[in-house]
Amino acid sequence: MIATTPPGQARWSSRAAFVLAATGSAVGLGNLWRFPTEAGMNGGGAFVFFYILFVALIAAPLLLSETLIGRHGQRSTIGSAAYLARQSGASPAWSALAVVGLIANTLILTFYGVVAGWVIYFVGSTGMDLFGTIAAGQPLAGAYADSTVEGISLLMPNLFANPGLLVAMQAVFVVLTVWIVARGVKGGIEAAAVWLMPAFFILLIAITIYAAITGDFGAALTFLFTPDFERALQPGVLSSALGQAFFSLSLGGGAMIAYGAYASRDTNMGSTSGVIAFADTSVAIIAGLAIFPIVFSVGLQPDAGPTLMFQTLPAAFHSMPGGAIVGFLFFVLAFFAALTSSVSLLEISVAWVTEKFRMTRVNAAVMMGVIVFAVGLLSALSFNILADQRPIPFVPGFENAGWFDAIDGITSRLLLPLSGLITAIFIGWVADRKLVNAETGLSGPVLVAWRFLIAWVCPLAVAAILVIGLFPSLL
Ligand code: ILE
């Protein structure tokens, strides 16, 4: 069966452009901010071990499934899933995987924009600091040389105490995201990825070399790669590791279906998905190796939580030679990464709205941007005005979570894996086998291994971890 391409369907200009855009989607705050945060809070090595295992056995096979659904359908995420279902003689209700994904990823974008707003604030503050050190003739000074470590650690709480500034930063980021998506697949998303991703890789490698030379590299290696398996059995570690694998690879019925839809027929989805999964996981590990040596070298704790990147790290840059310039470059790096990811999250709903309601891309991007910004206010203000609200006290593990943690936790630990579970069952058992196999571009033992992982390992493992996540007492 040959898929018909809807007229006017956008296309990446080359396979390389697809790889860059998809890697741009995958590599984001998930790698730089969320991975070190989660690894730090979940005991380091054990979390990292399961995260890598889950990427190899669950996330990478699902990544191929999602990109192939998109490439076969060449429609919005929901449209593509329904199309493959119909072509396989199954109910279009299987597109539920993409409905869950659209809701989850749009919700993720609401708080993603808030964190990216913090990044913009730190780009500004480290930028002004760098400017000051250069003006004072001390370009190789530590960051915020005029402040004490306590003073630097207060930058974040001070930002949190200023709702107007928080919301303004969030607004700037959402507007930038809308602007790129409104410009279209080639002129906006691809153009941004082609420029920002190479710049990102150069900066990341430079900062990691700096960390290896000036920081405590040995302590970071031990922390990240010595698994304490007792720790892995504590509630939350397994579901956090799985959630992180989904979050980091932009999986869960969203961005990878959307971007796969713009891939040409001659792109080998199997090898391309492998490249994307490998690049994203490497960046997470390298980011860990850039951040933790710096944290350890100044005797700070790795388990600071979501503020690790914004409180601990700037304080660490304070006492390091060249900290002013590296601190600034680090936040520029995070900004690039955030932008190439947020556009993929917005693209999911924009593509669907344009397809379903025949709206123009510009109008759809603006409308979705306004919705994302408005809902994002709940997360932005959960650090001040709404700090006392507990939206989901009835969900185990989230009794004390405010809006920000609740939306992050529910989406990455529950909704993304749920969408992944439906995807695995759909691709492994329901969708037309011949058609799916042909879309993978795989053959021989690799194809057999992928089919086994997607039909058996993914559904069973994801279901088990979902249940454990919801009922931690079962462990
Ligand atoms: N995968 C990206 C990241 O790691 C985004 C996750 C799209 C929502 O930051």
Side-chain angles (χ1 to χ4, degrees):
M1 261 177 272
I2 295 182
T4 49
T5 305
Q9 173 70 8
R11 279 272 165 280
W12 306 115
S13 18
S14 61
R15 175 181 183 251
F18 171 45
V19 171
L20 276 178
T23 309
S25 163
V27 170
L29 294 175
N31 307 58
L32 294 177
W33 162 72
R34 206 171 181 284
F35 172 73
T37 301
E38 293 281 313
M41 292 199 309
N42 290 296
F47 172 87
V48 175
F49 176 86
F50 281 103
Y51 162 68
I52 295 177
L53 191 74
F54 292 160
V55 167
L57 299 184
I58 299 172
L62 270 170
L63 175 62
L64 172 53
S65 308
E66 292 204 6
T67 50
L68 80 78
I69 292 174
R71 205 264 300 270
H72 184 73
Q74 310 199 334
R75 290 162 169 78
S76 70
T77 57
I78 298 176
S80 292
Y83 180 72
L84 179 56
R86 274 197 303 271
Q87 288 231 311
S88 306
S91 159
W94 282 99
S95 62
L97 70 95
V99 176
V100 175
L102 188 144
I103 295 169
N105 286 294
T106 306
L107 276 174
I108 288 176
L109 183 55
T110 66
F111 76 83
Y112 207 83
V114 174
V115 183
W118 307 344
V119 173
I120 294 183
Y121 174 78
F122 275 85
V123 169
S125 91
T126 52
M128 280 187 318
D129 177 55
L130 175 63
F131 186 71
T133 56
I134 293 174
Q138 296 169 323
L140 290 183
Y144 305 106
D146 295 339
S147 320
T148 57
V149 167
E150 290 71 41
I152 298 166
S153 307
L154 282 177
L155 286 171
M156 193 71 183
N158 286 345
L159 174 64
F160 282 179
N162 189 339
L165 186 59
L166 264 184
V167 170
M169 296 291 124
Q170 175 203 358
V172 170
F173 187 78
V174 174
V175 167
L176 279 173
T177 305
V178 167
W179 179 66
I180 295 177
V181 171
R183 288 175 58 95
V185 173
K186 255 193 209 160
I189 299 175
E190 178 179 317
V194 165
W195 284 101
L196 297 181
M197 286 317 287
F200 171 90
F201 284 118
I202 294 170
L203 284 177
L204 180 66
I205 302 232
I207 294 176
T208 311
I209 294 174
Y210 167 86
I213 295 172
T214 53
D216 191 344
F217 206 61
L221 282 179
T222 312
F223 179 69
L224 288 173
F225 298 114
T226 319
D228 164 8
F229 289 111
E230 296 256 304
R231 184 79 168 80
L233 293 181
Q234 285 182 14
V237 175
L238 288 183
S239 57
S240 303
L242 184 70
Q244 178 60 20
F246 272 86
F247 190 99
S248 194
L249 274 179
S250 309
L251 290 177
M256 291 303 173
I257 306 182
Y259 277 16
Y262 307 133
S264 70
R265 291 252 146 245
D266 50 13
T267 304
N268 182 316
M269 293 316 233
S271 61
T272 306
S273 303
V275 170
I276 298 165
F278 180 77
D280 181 66
T281 312
S282 310
V283 169
I285 304 288
I286 296 173
L289 290 176
I291 292 174
F292 286 114
I294 298 176
V295 170
F296 286 128
S297 72
V298 288
L300 293 167
Q301 291 306 316
D303 58 353
T307 56
L308 178 81
M309 184 172 128
F310 300 96
Q311 248 174 326
T312 313
L313 212 54
F317 285 134
H318 171 69
S319 30
M320 316 212 49
I325 185 156
V326 179
F328 171 68
L329 291 179
F330 180 82
F331 285 105
V332 171
L333 174 86
F335 172 69
F336 288 173
L339 201 55
T340 52
S341 293
S342 64
V343 292
S344 73
L345 296 176
L346 187 64
E347 177 63 19
I348 302 167
S349 58
V350 167
W352 180 70
V353 168
T354 49
E355 177 182 277
K356 179 95 186 153
F357 303 105
R358 306 256 165 252
M359 217 183 236
T360 64
R361 175 169 271 276
V362 174
N363 287 350
V366 171
M367 182 185 88
M368 289 313 302
V370 169
I371 294 174
V372 161
F373 173 73
V375 179
L377 290 176
L378 291 172
S379 291
L381 301 179
S382 70
F383 296 96
N384 38 66
I385 300 173
L386 305 180
D388 294 335
Q389 296 197 357
R390 301 283 170 268
I392 45 167
F394 44 86
V395 180
F398 291 94
E399 295 82 357
N400 292 317
W403 280 104
F404 183 96
D405 291 333
I407 296 180
D408 178 12
I410 289 293
T411 49
S412 61
R413 290 207 213 163
L414 205 68
L415 294 183
L416 297 184
L418 179 65
S419 170
L421 178 63
I422 308 174
T423 306
I425 298 173
F426 174 57
I427 292 294
W429 298 96
V430 179
D432 185 284
R433 213 180 160 89
K434 266 205 194 127
L435 209 150
V436 164
N437 288 358
E439 285 286 354
T440 63
L442 302 177
S443 57
V446 186
L447 178 62
V448 174
W450 175 75
R451 287 223 65 107
F452 175 72
L453 290 172
I454 206 69
W456 292 98
V457 177
C458 290
L460 291 175
V462 173
I465 296 166
L466 269 173
V467 172
I468 292 172
L470 281 178
F471 307 99
S473 51
L474 288 179
L475 255 191

